[in-house]
Amino acid sequence: MTAPNPNWYLRARLKTRQLLLLIAIDDAGNILRAAEALCMTQPAASKQLKELEDMLGIALFERHPRGMVPTIYGESMIRHARMALSSLARAHEDIVALKAGLAGQVDVGSIMTPAMSLLPRAITRIKQQVPQLRIGVQIESSNELLERLQRGTLDFLLARLTGFHDGAELQYEELAPEPVVVVARSGHPLDGRSGLTLHDLVQAPWITPPPGSILRQRFDQLFHNAGLEPPGDIVDTSEIVLITSMLQMSDALNVMSADVALRYQELGLLAILPLDLDCRMDPFGIIRRRDSVLSPGAELLLQAIRREASADSAPEPLPAPASVPECEPHAAAAYNLYDIALA
């Protein structure tokens, strides 16, 4: 088997126009409409596509009477074309920002848990050092963020590496595990109750993650392991705004990440029930594409995230001697309801 040539595109004299053409055909499903979108004639577009297919030795599209459909090779080439053009667009944005005296643009994706504490602390640290660095944050599920990363619209993620994506193209650096807890409204009848067990919770109304999610599977398994049927009075949702609103106006319970729950408890919005759960989410970490080169601004933010994660995992200091008064605890981060809703 012939080894792949990493610089094949030089020999093929690959043109940016050809990458644009691949994407345009994929979007339009028709070479005539694709050529019109790129202000080309159809013969010119057909020639450029044929040159690329001849060089690669494969067909990138299947021709049908109603249009053109990418082959498996075409799908791969189109995906990489989108990533390449997105990277070039971001390079131009960085250059424009640097010329204007700014520090460039960083776009990071995050799941909920690191977005509640770890990521805000890292961003605050970086903004103190480089105030003009523009940072964009997108909060979504791991699967959605992984799709955006592979499309080239995000620099890196704080998320979980799921089995639905090709790990060979991604680089994963584990940061922290994610234990879960049971939460309720402040003043809930079970708040502060000693000796609480799953038997006390099975008849309660619950707001739980949707069926099929990892946390829902582990939630149900908790009750099965205790010899109980999972609760039947359930509302299925992962929308945090709806969850917090329903918890505050009812006696419903919810299971969520301990870090997220702690933030809500600090705000006085929710209470963590005194129940140890043998349940945790898979660890989250830094995920980036192996073939990507991060901008200096993205590297700065990444380093700040690592420092904050290391501080979180550092062992707590030994208690001070009795003769030395304890220090006042640090004030909780200043969040408000609007911030929480956006999270």
Side-chain angles (χ1 to χ4, degrees), residues 223-272:
F223 289 90
H224 288 307
N225 291 345
L228 301 168
E229 284 297 315
D233 185 355
I234 277 179
V235 174
D236 298 320
T237 183
S238 57
E239 297 297 332
I240 192 67
V241 176
L242 179 63
I243 291 170
T244 53
S245 296
M246 291 189 65
L247 288 177
Q248 289 172 342
M249 63 179 63
S250 72
D251 284 339
L253 307 177
N254 177 256
V255 59
M256 67 171 59
S257 158
D259 284 348
V260 174
L262 182 60
R263 285 298 172 191
Y264 284 108
Q265 182 168 265
E266 289 172 348
L267 290 167
L269 299 176
L270 299 177
I272 299 176

Side-chain angles (χ1 to χ4, degrees), residues 156-308:
F156 63 88
L157 312 178
L158 297 179
R160 298 183 188 89
L161 190 59
T162 71
F164 299 105
H165 293 81
D166 185 3
E169 295 184 358
L170 302 172
Q171 181 178 326
Y172 176 74
E173 177 184 338
E174 185 175 314
L175 287 181
E178 191 173 356
V180 298
V181 295
V182 178
V183 296
R185 63 174 174 84
S186 298
H188 190 282
L190 297 178
D191 184 8
R193 176 174 163 181
S194 60
L196 204 59
T197 68
L198 285 178
H199 290 76
D200 302 311
L201 309 183
V202 71
Q203 297 301 324
W206 282 84
I207 305 168
T208 64
S213 65
I214 296 175
L215 184 52
R216 177 61 177 274
Q217 292 171 359
R218 294 180 183 179
F219 171 82
D220 289 345
Q221 192 62 44
L222 274 176
F223 289 90
H224 288 307
N225 291 345
L228 301 168
E229 284 297 315
D233 185 355
I234 277 179
V235 174
D236 298 320
T237 183
S238 57
E239 297 297 332
I240 192 67
V241 176
L242 179 63
I243 291 170
T244 53
S245 296
M246 291 189 65
L247 288 177
Q248 289 172 342
M249 63 179 63
S250 72
D251 284 339
L253 307 177
N254 177 256
V255 59
M256 67 171 59
S257 158
D259 284 348
V260 174
L262 182 60
R263 285 298 172 191
Y264 284 108
Q265 182 168 265
E266 289 172 348
L267 290 167
L269 299 176
L270 299 177
I272 299 176
L273 299 188
L275 175 67
D276 290 331
L277 294 181
D278 184 19
C279 178
R280 63 181 57 233
M281 295 294 291
D282 291 338
F284 65 84
I286 298 167
I287 305 176
R288 51 187 291 192
R289 299 197 313 270
R290 290 187 183 277
D291 60 356
S292 68
V293 178
L294 295 183
S295 67
E299 285 286 2
L300 281 175
L301 181 57
L302 206 55
Q303 291 169 15
I305 289 170
R306 290 189 181 109
R307 285 195 294 268
E308 294 298 332

Side-chain angles (χ1 to χ4, degrees), residues 320-328:
S323 59
V324 179
E326 292 186 359
C327 298
E328 289 294 324

